[in-house]
Amino acid sequence: MFERSRKGERALLLQPRRASDSAASRNTEEIDEFAELARSAGATVVGSLGARIDKPNPKFFVGSGKAEELKEQRAALDADLILVNHALSPVQERNLEKYTECRVVDRTGLILDIFAQRARSHEGKLQVELAQLKHMSTRLVRGWTHLERQRGGAIGLRGPGETQLELDRRLLSGRVKQLEQRLEKVETQRNTAKRARQRNAVPTAALVGYTNAGKSTLFNKITGAGVYAADQLFATLDPTLRRMDGLACGPVLLADTVGFIRDLPHDLVAAFKSTLAETREADLLLHVVDAADPEHDRRIEEVQRVLEEIGAQDVPQIFVYNKIDKVEGARPRSENIDGGQIARVWVSAVTGAGIDLLRDALTTALQRDRVHAWLAVPDHAGRLRARLIAAGFVSAERPAERGWEIQIDAPRALIEPLFGLPDGEGEWLREQLSRPGLLAASGAAPYNSAATAL
């Protein structure tokens, strides 16, 4: 057996390419991205080796000839780590390690390592550890023969005993169960905070996008927050919420979320389900795109694929094309599609160009998807009034001559289920919300029919 290096800074990259991939630009882009991932993990890239994969070799993933070439190049460059830009099976990873006498880490393991370095919050650390343990559970049999040794031998413990491998698997399983229980408690706390936001009728918008598209820089520019931002992959991991005031639609909570990337590990997506819930349950998504990236259309497809995986594909989106300061001739602007919905906004988070246009687009989209109106509630509708208050949909109230005047402010998706209330209450509510100019004669704020017509 070989002695594994504990340094792991000098990395040789193995870059598989599909036989069907004839586009040189695509291959170059994927190679550059993987090299940036390696540097983000703290490795020094000393070399790169391409490998055409027609059919993955069950033993090494690459062919035996390419494995020999990889071994020779590893020795020539004195690399102590081989990073493979593809997911490997535990057997393939172990066989490559034995053959090259070097530690091997696949794409999934590399991304998990970066997340482990960047996690700062208690929840983030729990999520990353859970994903790592699930990934590790299939890789306990590495190159250590001691894992097969038997325990036991003392009086009362004679017999086959328990192998070290079995013990490690049992301990790992127990830790996974413990982490899942802790994350359930954290998710309960997050859901409590979410219900409080709904009661306060504060809409939420979430920034999503490919990693390094400039989400955190944009978040800081819009909210004035001091979230860490850097020109590297996965600079921000833990989600951050900030309140935005001064918008025509009222206060808004803006969430900065973890960036997405091609082939994001499934274990990581599963572990971060509570964090990604900020995206799935938002009223609006601001899909940040690097306008200077020649592959931005492919990046959009990758993000949409992850959004579908976490169940957020139906949340309304505004595409925010960032970094226009790096695009020659680009200027801040916004584009509408049919129906007046703003679909795209061009901005620069660094210079601040177009930020006002983005705020206007955010306001327009949230007003369209929210109910904001004053209602005259008669005395006999007290039960409906109580329901609206209990649900957190009433933002203001004042007594009237024959009942109450209440202001409704809530997401349309939460109001519409009330239209099915029995005893005519739901139908009465629907009818009232379909009357523009409601209470205008009494001096109350007029009902915005353009924003909340049902």
Side-chain angles (χ1 to χ4, degrees), residues 314-334:
D314 295 328
V315 180
Q317 294 185 42
I318 293 178
F319 288 90
V320 183
Y321 286 81
N322 188 26
K323 303 185 182 182
I324 61 172
D325 53 295
K326 296 183 178 181
V327 180
E328 185 178 357
R331 58 180 179 81
R333 66 188 192 277
S334 60

Side-chain angles (χ1 to χ4, degrees), residues 345-367:
V345 182
W346 276 261
V347 304
S348 170
V350 172
T351 67
I355 297 300
D356 289 340
L357 292 175
L358 179 56
R359 285 175 168 269
D360 292 342
L362 181 66
T363 298
T364 300
L366 289 176
Q367 283 182 332

Side-chain angles (χ1 to χ4, degrees), residues 4 39 62 90 116 143 164 214 223 346 360 391 394 440 452:
R4 285 178 176 77
R39 286 188 284 268
V62 295
Q164 182 66 44
T223 65
W346 276 261
D360 292 342
V394 177
T452 59

Side-chain angles (χ1 to χ4, degrees), residues 376-433:
V377 181
D379 292 329
H380 63 79
R383 186 171 58 179
L384 175 61
R385 168 179 166 270
R387 287 179 184 271
L388 294 172
I389 293 175
F393 298 156
V394 177
S395 58
E397 181 182 24
R398 57 198 180 202
E401 183 176 350
R402 297 182 179 179
W404 308 267
E405 294 175 357
I406 62 175
Q407 187 179 46
I408 303 295
D409 187 4
R412 181 198 307 270
L414 297 181
I415 286 288
E416 288 180 344
L418 296 180
F419 295 161
L421 289 174
D423 301 328
E425 290 182 353
E427 188 59 34
W428 181 88
L429 180 62
R430 180 199 296 272
E431 180 182 340
Q432 294 300 308
L433 290 178

Side-chain angles (χ1 to χ4, degrees), residues 239-256:
T240 306
L241 283 169
R242 289 292 185 274
R243 178 179 169 127
M244 296 174 58
D245 292 306
L247 299 177
C249 62
V252 175
L253 283 177
L254 185 64
D256 183 23

Side-chain angles (χ1 to χ4, degrees), residues 3 283 377 436 446:
E3 182 67 25
D283 299 292
V377 181

Side-chain angles (χ1 to χ4, degrees), residues 256-396:
D256 183 23
T257 61
V258 62
F260 301 149
I261 196 170
R262 179 178 58 86
D263 299 329
L264 192 65
H266 291 289
D267 284 341
L268 199 57
V269 173
F272 274 68
K273 63 179 181 179
S274 60
T275 299
L276 295 173
E278 295 290 351
T279 300
R280 185 175 60 253
E281 296 166 1
D283 299 292
L284 177 69
L285 300 182
L286 300 182
H287 186 157
V288 184
V289 181
D290 184 352
D293 185 353
E295 296 289 333
H296 63 258
D297 287 338
R298 288 190 60 218
R299 306 296 196 209
I300 291 175
E301 292 176 3
E302 295 292 344
V303 173
Q304 298 290 59
R305 189 174 296 114
V306 177
L307 289 176
E308 185 173 354
E309 186 174 352
I310 65 175
Q313 69 274 14
D314 295 328
V315 180
Q317 294 185 42
I318 293 178
F319 288 90
V320 183
Y321 286 81
N322 188 26
K323 303 185 182 182
I324 61 172
D325 53 295
K326 296 183 178 181
V327 180
E328 185 178 357
R331 58 180 179 81
R333 66 188 192 277
S334 60
E335 285 184 355
N336 295 354
I337 60 175
D338 293 341
Q341 178 182 354
I342 297 176
R344 305 178 186 87
V345 182
W346 276 261
V347 304
S348 170
V350 172
T351 67
I355 297 300
D356 289 340
L357 292 175
L358 179 56
R359 285 175 168 269
D360 292 342
L362 181 66
T363 298
T364 300
L366 289 176
Q367 283 182 332
R368 183 182 61 249
D369 295 319
R370 289 184 73 83
V371 174
H372 185 78
W374 280 92
L375 299 180
V377 181
D379 292 329
H380 63 79
R383 186 171 58 179
L384 175 61
R385 168 179 166 270
R387 287 179 184 271
L388 294 172
I389 293 175
F393 298 156
V394 177
S395 58

